[in-house]
Amino acid sequence: FVKSGVDLFDSHFAQQAADWGVALDFRFRVPPSEVDETPVDIGVNVYEVEHAMAFVRLAKSLRGGAEEGDSDLPTCPCIACTPKFSSTPVLHSSIDEPPSTSEAQLAPPFTRGYIHHLLHTHEMTAHVLLAAHNLEVLSRFFADIRAFLAELSSSPDAEDRFAEEIRKFEKRYKRPDELLAKAKLSWEEVNLARGKGRLAREKAAKETENPVEITQHPETVLPDPVPS
């Protein structure tokens, strides 16, 4: 689309991915060291059980603001990767003295394991953090494209070089169809198990002696015992 001259994009894709528990993880341009590696998904389905104990940040291609390692990676300033907490205490009365400084302190990124927990307990905070992260990834993606095009503005082979970067990107990252389809199924399973109407469904299952089973987190609802 960019190559065709489109310069305005709807961010629904990033929001939809967040709704289904996907944390986007890609960037433009692909680092030279990754060009010939095995293709990877453009994000991670945080619903999946493999992330239950994953105490790492959401994206491998971006680092958190408080992280000292991976200094060669760009920083993701979203509230999930670079959370900030104010050290300013809450003043309860006019006699309380305000602090001399009120600078916000950077905290470590929220981990995949933590957001996995939030997703499976049906906490809205999970989708807020994922949406903020995904929108930042998408914004940086287009910012990097604009910067590269500006770099090529006076180059006689600009079109060929841009096409080559697109080829590298398509080689490095898989299409999102399969990732999003699996994530949507995971979302539907958790929504069925813990979402709106769960108690009514469990009651109906007991009455019909038809236990409800969720494949990812099996929860068998057994009928009430018959009095002897």
Side-chain angles (χ1 to χ4, degrees):
F1 289 117
V2 173
K3 188 177 179 181
S4 301
V6 178
D7 57 6
L8 181 63
F9 294 87
D10 185 359
S11 58
H12 175 72
F13 164 71
Q15 180 63 59
Q16 184 66 83
D19 291 344
W20 291 339
V22 172
L24 298 180
D25 186 6
F26 62 88
R27 60 173 171 154
F28 186 90
R29 305 151 57 187
V30 177
S33 60
E34 299 180 8
V35 171
D36 295 323
E37 292 188 3
T38 304
V40 295
D41 286 318
I42 63 169
V44 293
N45 176 9
V46 190
Y47 272 113
E48 291 183 340
V49 68
E50 66 184 83
H51 301 299
M53 299 296 288
F55 302 113
V56 296
R57 60 179 182 263
L58 290 176
K60 292 182 178 180
S61 60
L62 301 168
R63 68 185 182 93
E67 292 183 302
E68 296 181 358
D70 297 325
S71 58
D72 58 322
L73 295 178
T75 300
C76 179
C78 79
I79 58 175
C81 298
T82 308
K84 299 177 182 179
F85 297 94
S86 175
S87 58
T88 304
V90 177
L91 303 181
H92 296 283
S93 70
S94 59
I95 63 173
D96 292 337
E97 295 184 4
S100 57
T101 59
S102 59
E103 295 182 358
Q105 298 179 347
L106 295 181
F110 291 111
T111 66
R112 294 182 186 180
Y114 174 63
I115 296 179
H116 171 89
H117 161 73
L118 294 179
L119 288 170
H120 281 275
T121 53
H122 224 68
E123 290 286 346
M124 274 180 51
T125 309
H127 301 287
V128 172
L129 293 172
L130 287 172
H133 172 76
N134 288 354
L135 290 170
E136 182 59 40
V137 171
L138 195 63
S139 177
R140 175 173 291 277
F141 172 72
F142 287 114
D144 289 343
I145 290 178
R146 291 193 298 270
F148 185 59
L149 291 177
E151 179 184 324
L152 297 179
S153 59
S154 58
S155 176
D157 58 347
E159 185 173 350
D160 291 339
R161 290 177 58 185
F162 186 51
E164 176 63 14
E165 291 300 329
I166 294 174
R167 185 195 65 79
K168 292 177 182 178
F169 184 89
E170 292 175 339
K171 181 180 179 181
R172 177 58 176 153
Y173 298 106
K174 302 176 185 177
R175 289 185 57 83
D177 309 68
E178 183 178 353
L179 170 68
L180 294 179
K182 289 182 178 179
K184 184 181 180 182
L185 288 177
S186 300
W187 170 78
E188 289 174 344
E189 289 178 351
V190 173
N191 194 50
L192 179 64
R194 305 185 185 279
K196 184 177 180 181
R198 175 178 62 88
L199 296 179
R201 289 193 295 272
E202 290 181 357
K203 182 179 179 181
K206 288 182 180 180
E207 293 174 350
T208 59
E209 297 188 5
N210 180 25
V212 176
E213 292 190 5
I214 304 303
T215 56
Q216 190 170 5
H217 292 275
E219 295 179 3
T220 303
V221 183
L222 299 177
D224 293 330
V226 179
S228 57

